[in-house]
């Protein structure tokens, strides 16, 4: 599958300034921009091609993986953090409401993460407490998202807000009205940041059809979403010695592989890069965040 540079989206989380030597100084910011899901299972559907999400008779199962790296230029020198995650989720889609909203839910079956802050061996996050975590809400026109109240659970620097970041990747940028002949169309959403930081991730872009393809023997259509992503928030992330403020923005791009015969997301790939500043301990420090996510349907 072709590599692409996308968005992010993923429910970022932020690591606060981290220690350097015995000074106890901390500086490391991590924004989990995007986790991308891979789908296992199929929606039942009619014989006509489907260019809209369909209600799922049974939950669809996805495997997710992401890699996120960040770089902060602190007064004491550069520092950074690398984060990898793996998880499995079950996705349910409901029927469109009279108001044009599409209910959804994402339930975590498993979650694991590795955080390498450059301070010895990487630490592993046991996300067993996330098993059964359910994130619910509704999607609207042009990809807009609304979330129900998120559960109050956490593991390391991850919480329900950060894990909600997978949702935009599970709900692909489909054409308005299911029009298979549509030209470029608007695609955008706003997400909570999570990870101890109150704020929002905003994506604004356009989507378009990007040609036919075959994915493991299945005829499919590629849909490409490109635009700008902005992160802005404040709070005290896990491990930070004090509160931070941050703002970053950059280009983002996500490629979806859609099976119109069944109305199912088969795969997606994304990459993003954002730059900005993080303010901690009275200093404004340059921040760069890069993220890659890959998705594939479980066999």
């Amino acid at each position: 599958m072709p590599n692409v540079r996308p968005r992010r989206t993923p429910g970022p989380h932020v690591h606060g300034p981290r220690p350097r030597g015995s000074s106890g100084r901390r500086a490391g910011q991590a924004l989990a921009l995007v986790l991308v899901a891979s789908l296992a299972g199929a929606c039942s559907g009619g014989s006509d091609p489907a260019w809209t999400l369909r209600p799922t008779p049974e939950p669809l199962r996805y495997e997710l993986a992401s890699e996120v790296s960040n770089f902060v230029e602190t007064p004491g020198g550069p520092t950074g953090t690398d984060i990898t995650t793996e998880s499995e989720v079950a996705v349910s889609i409901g029927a469109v409401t009279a108001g044009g909203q599409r209910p959804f839910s994402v339930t975590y079956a498993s979650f694991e993460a590795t955080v390498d802050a450059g301070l010895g061996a990487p630490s592993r996050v046991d996300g067993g407490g996330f098993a059964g975590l359910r994130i619910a809400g509704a999607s609207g026109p042009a990809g807009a998202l609304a979330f129900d109240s998120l559960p109050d659970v956490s593991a390391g620097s991850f919480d329900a807000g950060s894990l909600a970041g997978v949702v935009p990747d599970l709900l692909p940028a489909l054409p308005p009205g299911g029009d298979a002949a549509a030209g470029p169309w608007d695609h955008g959403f706003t997400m909570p940041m999570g990870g101890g930081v109150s704020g929002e991730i905003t994506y604004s872009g356009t989507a378009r059809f990007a040609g036919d393809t075959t994915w493991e023997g299945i005829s499919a259509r590629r849909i490409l979403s490109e635009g700008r992503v902005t992160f802005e928030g404040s709070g005290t992330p896990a491990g930070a010695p004090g509160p931070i403020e941050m703002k970053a923005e950059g280009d983002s791009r996500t490629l979806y592989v859609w099976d119109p015969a069944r109305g199912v997301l088969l795969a997606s790939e994304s990459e993003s890069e954002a730059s900005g500043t993080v303010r901690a301990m009275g200093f404004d420090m340059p921040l760069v965040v890069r993220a890659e996510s890959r998705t594939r349907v479980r066999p």
Side-chain angles (χ1 to χ4, degrees):
M1 188 177 306
N3 290 323
V4 295
R5 300 175 55 88
R7 166 180 46 177
R8 92 201 173 46
T9 116
H13 41 273
V14 180
H15 291 277
R18 89 181 158 190
R20 181 183 178 86
S22 59
S23 66
R25 179 180 55 79
R26 291 181 173 265
Q29 297 295 329
L31 301 169
L33 299 179
V34 186
L35 299 174
V36 181
S38 60
L39 167 64
C43 295
S44 62
S47 58
D48 294 333
W51 300 105
T52 60
L53 292 170
R54 291 178 171 177
T56 51
E58 297 182 0
L60 305 170
R61 298 200 172 274
Y62 288 76
E63 294 176 346
L64 306 89
S66 73
E67 298 179 3
V68 178
S69 63
N70 70 85
F71 174 87
V72 181
E73 186 66 54
T74 76
T79 185
T81 304
D82 297 319
I83 299 173
T84 60
T85 68
E86 293 183 357
S87 56
E88 295 184 9
V89 300
V91 179
S92 295
I93 306 294
V96 176
T97 67
Q101 301 295 303
R102 174 80 69 176
F104 67 82
S105 69
V106 176
T107 303
Y108 273 81
S110 65
F111 178 86
E112 293 183 356
T114 300
V115 180
D116 185 356
L119 302 172
S123 61
R124 293 189 62 82
V125 176
D126 179 3
F130 290 134
L133 171 68
R134 182 175 181 270
I135 296 168
S139 68
L145 296 172
F147 290 87
D148 297 344
S149 296
L150 297 174
D152 184 14
V153 295
S154 63
S157 59
F158 298 84
D159 61 13
S162 16
L163 269 65
V166 302
V167 170
D169 302 295
L170 294 164
L171 306 179
L174 296 171
D179 182 2
W185 59 90
D186 291 339
H187 182 221
F189 53 84
T190 298
M191 296 281 302
M193 290 192 67
V197 176
S198 297
E200 292 182 338
I201 306 158
T202 302
Y203 173 74
S204 179
T206 58
R208 61 180 174 84
F209 289 116
D212 296 327
T213 188
T214 300
W215 191 88
E216 296 196 357
I218 301 172
S219 296
R221 179 74 67 89
R222 291 181 293 190
I223 299 172
L224 181 63
S225 180
E226 298 176 289
R228 298 284 290 177
V229 61
T230 301
F231 311 87
E232 187 169 6
S234 62
T236 305
I244 67 164
E245 297 177 8
M246 62 160 298
K247 184 174 183 178
E249 63 177 315
D251 294 326
S252 178
R253 179 174 159 166
T254 299
L255 180 68
Y256 301 97
V257 179
W258 178 256
D259 175 4
R262 294 179 295 170
V264 165
L265 175 69
L266 296 175
S268 61
E269 291 189 359
S270 66
E271 296 178 0
S272 329
E273 183 166 331
S275 61
T277 60
V278 55
R279 182 171 181 80
M281 299 179 293
F283 295 100
D284 288 326
M285 299 173 286
L287 166 69
V288 175
V289 179
R290 298 182 180 91
E292 295 182 1
S293 300
R294 288 177 176 80
T295 283
R296 59 178 285 114
V297 171
R298 290 176 55 187

